[in-house]
């Protein structure tokens, strides 16, 4: 069997056999296939895609390229929620203690951010003393103790994905939907979960800019989950403007806590309640999402989710008092207001530009080596559909270093489009689809 023949078959749209896929990936992982040949294969996939069975085999092979984590010591149902990322996405911080309140465990691997804002790991590291478990045993202990366990990705989990992604990044094949789906699902499937909720973002601040592409990605990931007998629910959610009002690590921690106390932004609160309700469906507690959302609202009013978050933070070595005293979180030395230049209605907010406005302050990383400033970021004062007058507060910027402050302020102004007519805001939850639930 020759690698060049496998490349040629994919180039010509010929379905690959299980043996061909396994041979290609095994040989590449072992270093016997040069990057230029794998680059050619990835480009062939970019143009010709993969059939369902090809993608199943491809994903399963990636999944099995490293360690598999099975949490046999955990005594509750496990649900893994994954987001394709966006600006101001602090959902896991609010959702995990809600799950724990319903005796649903969160045992997942999360990453650090690269780009607009920090990832889940970065946000939790805003909390003084907070450390993540380093072993599976520590993760299991954490979940059994407080219902939530999160740790960083290991190089031993799906090493083939890491190698392939690095190559996709420099060969203009990152946006291939089959390759995106295989990358996400191989990591989700390598870590045991009784149910997987995939939050697929679409809009200006998302990787999937168009709703059509978001639907294709969601459908492809559901099909992979179905082919490997996993319960998968996909939600397509809006990222045409930042999620909530806060962008920046400690600021997002505060907004997430406010949400589980019942005081969060309307659209973010609805998203969190919906995802939690889906978790209740997966657990078997409810069939109707509206009933599930009401159960979540009642739980929030009981105060239990905030207590569960405190327990998680304390178990992870952090100062749990931050849940009640936000002054214990990193605080920027300076703040400056950004005022509207025009009157009218907020028509659009370019989420990606807002993310970059936070990143240049230090809230995100331009390169993997950059050090995040957990204190900096911004709080928006106006969202799509809001009326605004010239000179009215648009956003507040929190910063420590004034080197990029003017650039950040200008990016915020550039991100907003003001019009004379009011724009109807898109629903935060656009579509929900499931398999085997």
């Amino acid at each position: 069997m020759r690698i060049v023949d496998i490349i040629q078959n994919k180039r010509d749209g010929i379905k690959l056999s299980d043996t061909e896929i396994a041979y290609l990936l095994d040989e590449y992982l072992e270093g016997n296939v040069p990057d230029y040949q794998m680059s050619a294969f990835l480009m062939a996939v970019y143009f010709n895609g993969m059939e369902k069975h090809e993608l199943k085999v491809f994903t399963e092979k990636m999944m099995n390229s490293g360690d598999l984590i099975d949490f046999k010591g955990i005594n509750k149902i496990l649900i893994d929620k994954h987001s394709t990322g966006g600006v101001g996405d602090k959902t896991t911080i609010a959702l995990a203690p809600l799950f724990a309140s319903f005796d649903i465990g969160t045992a997942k691997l999360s990453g650090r951010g690269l780009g607009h804002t920090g990832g889940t790991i970065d946000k939790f590291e805003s909390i003084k003393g907070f450390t993540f478990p380093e072993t599976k045993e520590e993760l299991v202990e954490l979940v059994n103790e407080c219902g939530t366990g999160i740790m960083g990705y290991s190089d031993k989990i799906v090493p083939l994905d890491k190698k392939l992604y690095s190559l996709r990044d420099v060969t203009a094949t990152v946006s291939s939907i089959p390759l995106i789906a295989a990358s996400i699902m191989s990591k989700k499937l390598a870590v045991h979960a009784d149910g997987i909720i995939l939050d697929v973002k679409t809009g200006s601040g998302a990787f999937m800019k168009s709703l059509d592409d978001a639907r294709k990605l969601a459908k492809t990931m559901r099909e992979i989950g179905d082919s490997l007998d996993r319960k998968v629910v996909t939600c397509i959610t809006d990222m045409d403007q930042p999620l909530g009002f806060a962008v920046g690590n400690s600021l997002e921690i505060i907004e997430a806590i406010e949400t589980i106390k019942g005081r969060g932004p309307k659209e973010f609160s609805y998203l969190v309640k919906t995802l939690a309700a889906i978790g209740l469906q997966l657990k078997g507690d409810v069939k109707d999402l509206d009933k599930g959302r009401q159960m979540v609202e009642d739980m929030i009013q009981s105060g239990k989710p905030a207590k569960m978050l405190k327990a998680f933070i304390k178990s992870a070595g952090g100062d749990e008092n931050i849940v009640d005293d936000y002054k214990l979180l990193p605080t920027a030395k300076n703040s400056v207001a950004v005022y509207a230049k025009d009157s009218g209605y907020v028509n659009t907010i370019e989420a990606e530009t807002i993310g970059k406005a936070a990143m240049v302050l230090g809230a995100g990383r331009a390169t993997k080596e950059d050090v995040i400033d957990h204190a900096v970021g911004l709080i928006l004062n106006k969202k799509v559909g809001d009326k605004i007058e010239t000179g009215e507060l648009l956003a507040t910027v929190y910063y420590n270093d004034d080197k990029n402050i003017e650039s950040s302020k200008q990016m915020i102004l550039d991100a907003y489009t003001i019009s004379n007519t009011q724009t109807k805001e898109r629903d935060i939850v656009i579509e929900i689809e499931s398999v085997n639930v």
Side-chain angles (χ1 to χ4, degrees):
M1 189 178 302
R2 296 192 311 159
I3 296 299
V4 67
D5 294 329
I6 298 173
I7 297 170
Q8 182 175 321
N9 285 343
K10 177 47 64 180
R11 182 201 68 186
D12 295 342
I14 298 171
K15 182 179 178 181
L16 300 181
S17 68
D18 296 6
T19 304
E20 286 175 314
I21 294 170
Y23 180 72
L24 172 70
L25 295 181
D26 283 341
E27 288 296 292
Y28 182 62
L29 189 60
E30 290 297 319
N32 298 325
V33 175
D35 281 348
Y36 63 81
Q37 282 192 305
M38 183 54 78
S39 297
F41 175 80
L42 294 174
M43 190 59 74
V45 171
Y46 180 87
F47 285 112
N48 291 325
M50 284 188 180
E51 294 186 6
K52 286 183 185 179
H53 184 74
E54 283 181 299
L55 191 52
K56 174 197 172 185
V57 175
F58 190 88
T59 305
E60 196 169 21
K61 195 67 186 176
M62 288 177 64
M63 175 187 78
N64 289 312
S65 66
D67 294 345
L68 301 178
I69 298 181
D70 190 353
F71 302 110
K72 292 181 179 177
I74 292 178
N75 53 21
K76 58 193 72 185
I77 183 174
L78 292 176
I79 295 177
D80 187 354
K81 189 279 302 178
H82 173 81
S83 168
T84 56
V87 178
D89 187 0
K90 71 283 292 181
T91 309
T92 295
I93 302 163
L95 187 62
L98 271 171
F99 276 166
S101 299
F102 289 102
D103 203 32
I104 296 171
T106 298
K108 62 177 292 183
L109 305 184
S110 292
R112 298 185 186 278
L114 181 60
H116 313 326
T117 55
T120 299
I121 296 285
D122 300 302
K123 299 184 205 306
F124 274 114
E125 286 181 343
S126 300
I127 303 168
K128 184 179 179 181
F130 193 101
T131 57
F132 289 92
E134 295 183 355
T135 67
K136 181 179 78 171
E137 290 72 25
E138 291 176 358
L139 189 65
V140 169
E141 184 180 349
L142 201 57
V143 175
N144 281 331
E145 187 175 324
C146 58
T148 301
I150 300 170
M151 65 186 290
Y153 276 105
S154 163
D155 289 342
K156 295 181 180 179
I157 305 294
V158 197
L160 189 54
D161 175 65
K162 184 176 182 179
K163 194 172 181 182
L164 284 173
Y165 190 88
S166 296
L167 197 57
R168 287 166 56 206
D169 195 35
V170 295
T171 57
T173 55
V174 168
S175 58
S176 164
I177 286 177
L179 295 177
I180 296 170
S183 175
I184 292 172
M185 292 302 292
S186 63
K187 293 193 286 283
K188 296 295 101 181
L189 296 168
V191 180
H192 171 76
D194 299 297
I196 300 171
I197 302 173
L198 299 170
D199 181 359
V200 182
K201 304 289 188 189
T202 183
S204 67
F207 190 69
M208 296 286 106
K209 303 296 183 187
S210 74
L211 180 56
D212 186 51
D213 281 346
R215 284 172 172 152
K216 288 177 184 176
L217 177 59
K219 181 173 183 288
T220 303
M221 291 192 293
R222 283 197 310 275
E223 288 174 346
I224 292 172
D226 194 32
S227 70
L228 294 170
D229 298 320
R230 294 296 183 93
K231 292 183 178 180
V232 177
V233 178
T234 58
C235 303
I236 298 177
T237 65
D238 182 58
M239 187 46 73
D240 229 12
Q241 62 175 330
L243 185 57
F245 293 93
V247 182
N249 298 281
S250 65
L251 297 174
E252 291 183 43
I253 287 275
I254 294 170
E255 189 163 79
I257 295 171
E258 285 291 288
T259 298
I260 60 174
K261 289 180 177 179
R263 302 192 293 258
K266 181 180 68 175
E267 89 279 14
F268 178 57
S269 296
Y270 185 80
L271 172 63
V272 169
K273 289 174 187 176
T274 299
L275 295 175
I278 292 170
L280 291 174
Q281 277 188 329
L282 286 165
K283 186 185 176 192
D285 286 356
V286 295
K287 292 185 178 180
D288 181 70
L289 275 181
D290 285 335
K291 183 179 179 181
R293 289 188 192 98
Q294 186 57 55
M295 287 176 64
V296 175
E297 174 62 26
D298 292 343
M299 185 63 78
I300 288 172
Q301 294 304 317
S302 77
K304 187 175 180 180
K307 293 177 182 177
M308 297 306 293
L309 180 59
K310 275 188 173 182
F312 171 53
I313 292 170
K314 184 177 180 179
S315 296
D319 185 352
E320 76 274 19
N321 293 310
I322 67 105
V323 175
D324 298 315
D325 186 357
Y326 301 144
K327 292 178 183 177
L328 296 173
L329 286 163
T331 303
K333 297 175 185 176
N334 309 298
S335 65
V336 63
V338 180
Y339 298 104
K341 302 290 187 183
D342 302 295
S343 295
Y345 295 92
V346 178
N347 186 34
T348 61
I349 306 174
E350 282 291 330
E352 187 171 340
T353 304
I354 292 292
K356 289 177 180 177
M359 185 182 76
V360 298
L361 300 171
R365 296 181 181 87
T367 69
K368 291 180 181 178
E369 292 73 32
D370 288 347
V371 177
I372 276 190
D373 185 341
H374 294 94
V376 303
L378 49 98
I379 302 287
L380 304 180
N381 193 53
K382 295 291 182 179
K383 300 294 290 286
V384 170
D386 288 347
K387 184 174 176 55
I388 192 164
E389 301 291 340
T390 303
E392 192 175 354
L393 181 66
L394 201 61
T396 303
V397 181
Y398 297 88
Y399 66 100
N400 286 321
D401 186 342
D402 61 4
K403 182 176 67 172
N404 292 319
I405 185 62
E406 293 303 322
S407 295
S408 180
K409 289 166 62 179
Q410 189 58 52
M411 286 180 189
I412 293 169
L413 290 171
D414 291 343
Y416 277 82
T417 302
I418 310 297
S419 67
N420 293 325
T421 55
Q422 189 171 22
T423 301
K424 183 182 178 182
E425 185 181 341
R426 288 205 300 185
D427 291 336
I428 186 68
V429 178
I430 300 170
E431 294 175 2
I432 301 173
E433 298 288 346
S434 63
V435 295
N436 291 333
V437 176

